[in-house]
Amino acid sequence: MIDPGPAPDLDTLVRLATTVQGRFRARGLTLATAESCTGGLVAHVITEVPGASGHFRGGVVAYADDVKGSALHVPAALVHSHGAVSAQVARAMAEGVRAAIGSDFAVAVTGVAGPDGGTPSKPVGLTYVAVAGPTGMEVRRQVWSGDRRANKLASARAALELLLEAVQRVGDA
Amino acid sequence: MIDPGPAPDLDTLVRLATTVQGRFRARGLTLATAESCTGGLVAHVITEVPGASGHFRGGVVAYADDVKGSALHVPAALVHSHGAVSAQVARAMAEGVRAAIGSDFAVAVTGVAGPDGGTPSKPVGLTYVAVAGPTGMEVRRQVWSGDRRANKLASARAALELLLEAVQRVGDA
């Protein structure tokens, strides 16, 4: 596994979110977020940038598993079969929030931030980010090696980076 | 109007969220958040504290006005009559997220973070925080004088402080 390196600081994420906003607004696209382990950090960073209301419609922080069902329509059977921290649930969260909030793109994050909650097959730091959009769905798996704060920051960066890649393809299409 | 003083830093908010978690967990109570101008910051701070899943169920970032309706069941007529930044909408957001997520307490924030969006009657920095819980509903109005980042931090502190006061009364009852 490639060492993901040190976690970014908040200012680095805000710069990334500024680029995201520029690409979304240039294309007239809208965005929603669904967060588990990042607990609102992705939405916070997006809304640090003035003008965020031009593309960001809103998000859901689905911390308890049943909230993934009630607010994001993630089937309970999916959580039961694959676990809340899985590619399948990340995808369902992205699709769910895109439909619930009504946006062109949606990004979702689910992971084990730590310090508790890790298991041999799902260690602390395991994170899935997913992006749903008009060009389809993408999901990426990573394992961070930091503490809770660092893992949240690294996961938020991964979410914003996947989003940038996906929105770039809309312009290239 | 009392000068609210300088905005807190993130670590100060995390300490406050640690106290919130202690009081919620000691009483076996659960929490949900509804955020507009703070854009996920309140949920982010709450989930910086290890063990947050013991009391925090989730939240909604309702950035676009119509998301306040679709995700939080805030009546469009209320937003139309009083404006999205009003005591009435803050209350409806708190009630709405408490019902949607299913928690004992809910805290809501709506305000004008800036730099744009201010009007003579609703200037940049105007913020309403509301708490809904088993002991009723409370709302507080404040006007911050900082920039966007400072106003978000100050609003998040006001939300956590109002929450602490409200949950304290459950123990005193």
Side-chain angles (χ1 to χ4, degrees), chain B residues 23-91:
Chain B
R23 296 204 187 156
F24 268 80
R25 294 187 67 166
R27 291 164 175 77
L29 296 168
T30 58
L31 175 61
T33 54
E35 304 184 63
S36 184
C37 64
T38 47
L41 174 58
V42 176
H44 166 51
V45 162
I46 288 168
T47 60
E48 282 290 276
V49 186
S53 57
H55 73 301
F56 182 59
R57 289 183 42 73
V60 171
V61 179
Y63 222 59
D65 281 348
D66 68 284
V67 176
K68 293 178 180 71
S70 61
L72 297 174
H73 308 294
V74 175
L78 210 63
V79 176
H80 185 75
S81 321
H82 301 282
V85 180
S86 61
Q88 290 83 354
V89 167
R91 275 193 206 103

Side-chain angles (χ1 to χ4, degrees), chain A residues 25-106:
Chain A
R25 294 187 67 166
R27 290 164 175 79
L29 296 168
T30 58
L31 175 60
T33 53
E35 305 183 59
S36 184
C37 65
T38 45
L41 173 59
V42 176
H44 167 51
V45 163
I46 288 168
T47 60
E48 282 288 275
V49 186
S53 56
H55 73 302
F56 182 60
R57 288 183 43 72
V60 171
V61 179
Y63 221 59
D65 280 347
D66 68 284
V67 176
K68 293 178 180 69
S70 61
L72 297 173
H73 309 293
V74 176
L78 210 64
V79 177
H80 185 75
S81 322
H82 301 283
V85 180
S86 61
Q88 291 83 354
V89 167
R91 274 193 207 104
M93 287 171 66
E95 275 168 7
V97 84
R98 187 173 176 238
I101 300 238
S103 57
D104 297 307
F105 275 92

Side-chain angles (χ1 to χ4, degrees), chain B residues 79-151:
Chain B
V79 176
H80 185 75
S81 321
H82 301 282
V85 180
S86 61
Q88 290 83 354
V89 167
R91 275 193 206 103
M93 287 171 65
E95 275 167 8
V97 85
R98 187 173 176 238
I101 298 232
S103 58
D104 297 307
F105 275 93
V107 63
V109 193
T110 180
V112 188
D116 302 317
T119 65
S121 64
K122 310 238 170 162
V124 168
L126 175 66
T127 302
Y128 293 88
V129 298
V131 167
T135 51
M137 168 72 75
E138 235 178 312
V139 64
R140 192 167 287 167
R141 174 187 186 279
Q142 268 155 319
V143 184
W144 315 118
S145 52
D147 62 8
R148 182 182 182 88
R149 176 170 286 193
N151 290 342

Side-chain angles (χ1 to χ4, degrees), chain A:
Chain A
M1 187 177 310
I2 299 160
D3 182 350
D9 61 15
L10 203 63
D11 286 336
T12 302
L13 295 184
V14 172
R15 278 194 295 276
L16 202 49
T18 305
T19 307
V20 167
Q21 181 181 127
R23 295 204 188 157
F24 268 80
R25 294 187 67 166
R27 290 164 175 79
L29 296 168
T30 58
L31 175 60
T33 53
E35 305 183 59
S36 184
C37 65
T38 45
L41 173 59
V42 176
H44 167 51
V45 163
I46 288 168
T47 60
E48 282 288 275
V49 186
S53 56
H55 73 302
F56 182 60
R57 288 183 43 72
V60 171
V61 179
Y63 221 59
D65 280 347
D66 68 284
V67 176
K68 293 178 180 69
S70 61
L72 297 173
H73 309 293
V74 176
L78 210 64
V79 177
H80 185 75
S81 322
H82 301 283
V85 180
S86 61
Q88 291 83 354
V89 167
R91 274 193 207 104
M93 287 171 66
E95 275 168 7
V97 84
R98 187 173 176 238
I101 300 238
S103 57
D104 297 307
F105 275 92
V107 62
V109 193
T110 181
V112 188
D116 303 317
T119 65
S121 64
K122 309 237 171 165
V124 168
L126 175 66
T127 303
Y128 293 88
V129 299
V131 168
T135 51
M137 167 73 74
E138 234 178 311
V139 64
R140 192 167 288 167
R141 174 188 187 277
Q142 268 155 320
V143 184
W144 315 118
S145 52
D147 62 8
R148 181 182 183 87
R149 177 170 286 194
N151 291 342
K152 284 180 68 177
L153 289 164
S155 299
R157 178 176 58 189
L160 293 170
E161 285 175 346
L162 191 59
L163 199 53
L164 269 183
E165 291 174 33
V167 75
Q168 192 60 38
R169 275 194 294 277
V170 174
D172 297 344

